[in-house]
Amino acid sequence: GRRRREAAEEEVEETPQEKKLRLAKQYLEELRQLGESRPAPVSRGAAPGAEPDSHALVLGSLAHILLFLQVQPPDPARIRVLRGHQLPVTCLVISPDDRFIFSASKDGSLIKCKWEVDSGKRLCVVPGGKKGTEERHMGHASHVLCMAISSDGKYLATGDRNKLIMIWDAATCKRLHIFTGHRDAVSGLSFRKGTHQLYSASHDRCVKVWDVGENAYVETLFGHQDVITGLDSLSRECCVTAGGRDGTVRLWKIPEESQLVFSGHQGSIDCIQLINEEHMVSGADDGSLALWGLTKKKPLVLARQAHGEQEAQGLQQPYWISAVAALRNSDLLATGSHSGSVKLWKCGEGFRKLEHLLDVPLVGFVNSLKFSAAGDFLVAGIGQEHRLGRWWRIKEAKNSICIIPLKQKTTASRPETPDSS
């Protein structure tokens, strides 16, 4: 009876629609394990010839990726290194069409559009200025810690240590607006997919919601007991955050003005990303990598010392997980540390198992990781120091952006599916 009560306490209430989606995904995973290839389930009661709903499209896309996509080890000689930042790269994003990379660093300058992916050319540099001169200079005047791009590629948002959020026109590199309101460093930014709604997280322990199209502040969300170190969102009107040393991951349901609290890491939770609308991954400075389901308050999988151990001051300490990335709606993850490599992982058994696939050698602190939308390359932001501090310095590291090609082997011809953009 006690075990049943504990299990019930771990469960988070879900709507009937969420339950249907979870069961459908579970069914897909069972099909994958049996090696079968069947059409994705269609919503019951749909009229013949009717367009499939968004959940069916997502499930169909997920099924094809899980069944047919395999990543092969990249050739180290084909990893491209883009140099231009003087200080450690702290954050980066890829444009939705996979053509450009936007990056920023501790030097305050924003090389914001455009590293061109194909040629590697640096197309635009926005220099920073001194603190207090942001109104006269286009760029930031302090370390840029985070950035996000809208799903239509129109707006780019950047956040810095000086509490400011700047909004840019991604096509022209021109600054459009400055949002003020946070009382400490802005450490996480994410646009809600399909909208111009922006979520921001800060060391002031709160999350703010903005309407970028209207240049308007919407609301503030409170709950974390320590600095927030990361934030992510997808299509739903909610976001997830990593709460640093308060040891919690939180799911914020914006319309309901409620939050769900998840716990499992022992150290400071430094990075987080949603894999799909039902699962997320996070990394901490205790070296652990956690895979979560949004209906469970505890991790589905917790990989301890995911990047191994190092000797520090005569003690064996795990390498911090400083960056995580997920290829959206797939089973492929990437993690970064300062252990000398980026690791790729596969989620298995209905997101209840983590399988290490391969290592990509990279020297330095991996402060940011992003998969291209098509999944054919991975971009890493490398620095001699961690993005949030100066605890160590790796002198032999190059402050740079690395483009890692991912060979993909198709095990069967991919069925045609409706565009689920």
Side-chain angles (χ1 to χ4, degrees):
R2 181 176 60 83
R3 287 180 182 172
R4 282 197 297 270
R5 284 197 302 274
E6 288 177 353
E9 287 174 1
E10 283 189 12
E11 294 289 341
V12 177
E13 288 186 9
E14 57 183 340
T15 66
Q17 186 64 26
E18 289 171 338
K19 184 176 181 180
K20 286 179 185 176
L21 186 57
R22 175 173 58 82
L23 292 175
K25 287 183 180 177
Q26 186 176 330
Y27 169 70
L28 282 176
E29 179 62 18
E30 290 170 0
L31 287 185
R32 189 189 68 80
Q33 291 176 5
L34 291 171
E36 297 177 3
S37 175
R38 301 179 188 172
V42 180
S43 300
R44 186 174 295 177
E51 298 229 351
D53 63 23
S54 58
H55 290 311
L57 292 174
V58 169
L59 288 172
S61 174
L62 178 62
H64 302 319
I65 292 173
L66 285 171
L67 289 167
F68 300 109
L69 184 64
Q70 293 183 357
V71 174
Q72 302 299 303
D75 179 358
R78 295 187 62 224
I79 297 176
R80 292 188 291 149
V81 180
L82 309 181
R83 300 288 306 277
H85 289 291
Q86 300 302 311
L87 294 179
V89 176
T90 54
C91 53
L92 58 85
V93 293
I94 305 171
S95 63
D97 58 9
D98 289 347
R99 293 178 58 203
F100 307 109
I101 297 168
F102 301 76
S103 63
S105 78
K106 288 187 177 183
D107 55 24
S109 70
L110 173 66
I111 297 178
K112 56 163 300 294
C113 129
K114 296 165 181 167
W115 295 102
E116 191 173 47
V117 172
D118 287 343
S119 67
K121 289 181 180 178
R122 188 176 64 187
L123 301 182
C124 180
V125 178
V126 179
K130 293 183 179 180
K131 187 174 179 179
T133 65
E134 290 89 352
E135 292 295 340
R136 298 194 300 275
H137 293 83
M138 285 295 290
H140 289 271
S142 59
H143 299 178
V144 181
L145 298 181
C146 54
M147 60 170 50
I149 190 166
S150 59
S151 53
D152 61 0
K154 182 177 181 180
Y155 295 115
L156 182 76
T158 54
D160 67 15
R161 277 201 177 277
N162 199 28
K163 317 170 194 175
L164 300 179
I165 299 169
M166 295 191 182
I167 307 299
W168 309 80
D169 183 315
T172 64
C173 305
K174 292 184 178 179
R175 193 179 72 201
L176 303 175
H177 195 68
I178 298 179
F179 287 140
T180 60
H182 279 295
R183 292 174 287 108
D184 207 335
V186 180
S187 53
L189 289 167
S190 180
F191 279 95
R192 180 186 170 199
K193 188 176 178 182
T195 75
H196 293 148
Q197 188 174 62
L198 177 69
Y199 304 116
S200 64
S202 168
H203 288 185
D204 65 11
R205 303 182 293 180
C206 72
V207 174
K208 290 186 184 290
V209 185
W210 314 83
D211 185 333
V212 172
E214 300 294 329
N215 288 338
Y217 160 79
V218 179
E219 62 179 315
T220 301
L221 311 171
F222 299 95
H224 276 293
Q225 302 302 306
D226 194 20
V227 301
I228 304 176
T229 54
L231 177 145
D232 196 25
S233 66
L234 280 176
S235 299
R236 293 182 183 175
E237 199 171 353
C238 61
C239 61
V240 294
T241 52
R245 296 209 170 273
D246 76 3
T248 67
V249 166
R250 298 188 184 228
L251 169 67
W252 305 83
K253 297 185 175 183
I254 312 296
E256 294 92 337
E257 297 184 354
S258 65
Q259 57 187 282
L260 301 178
V261 181
F262 306 81
S263 58
H265 290 288
Q266 299 301 310
S268 175
I269 308 171
D270 283 354
C271 46
I272 190 164
Q273 180 149 25
L274 283 159
I275 304 170
N276 53 43
E277 298 284 8
E278 304 296 328
H279 299 90
M280 58 185 170
V281 61
S282 61
D285 70 1
D286 63 357
S288 63
L289 176 67
L291 188 59
W292 309 81
L294 299 189
T295 60
K296 289 274 189 178
K297 293 182 179 178
K298 298 292 182 184
L300 300 176
V301 187
L302 186 66
R304 302 184 187 279
Q305 298 180 9
H307 277 253
E309 288 185 310
Q310 64 177 333
E311 187 173 335
Q313 299 175 343
L315 298 172
Q316 288 297 113
Q317 307 246 350
Y319 282 104
W320 296 6
I321 307 297
S322 52
V324 294
L327 180 56
R328 301 291 196 190
N329 297 319
S330 83
D331 54 359
L332 184 62
L333 306 178
T335 58
S337 181
H338 59 288
S339 60
S341 67
V342 167
K343 292 182 181 287
L344 294 184
W345 307 78
K346 179 181 182 298
C347 306
E349 297 181 8
F351 291 93
R352 293 181 180 274
K353 183 180 178 182
L354 271 174
E355 176 188 343
H356 175 231
L357 294 177
L358 55 94
D359 288 0
V360 181
L362 284 179
V363 177
F365 281 87
V366 181
N367 288 324
S368 187
L369 284 170
K370 289 289 185 297
F371 282 101
S372 64
D376 53 354
F377 63 89
L378 173 68
V379 182
I382 307 295
Q384 293 182 332
E385 301 168 352
H386 190 281
R387 74 181 183 105
L388 295 177
R390 305 190 67 183
W391 300 281
W392 298 285
R393 188 166 183 267
I394 302 175
K395 292 182 180 179
E396 59 271 26
K398 307 296 183 185
N399 299 319
S400 58
I401 295 140
C402 296
I403 303 176
I404 304 163
L406 300 176
K407 293 181 183 177
Q408 297 170 357
K409 186 172 95 179
T410 344
T411 57
S413 55
R414 203 166 183 171
E416 291 186 7
T417 54
D419 182 10
S420 59
S421 66

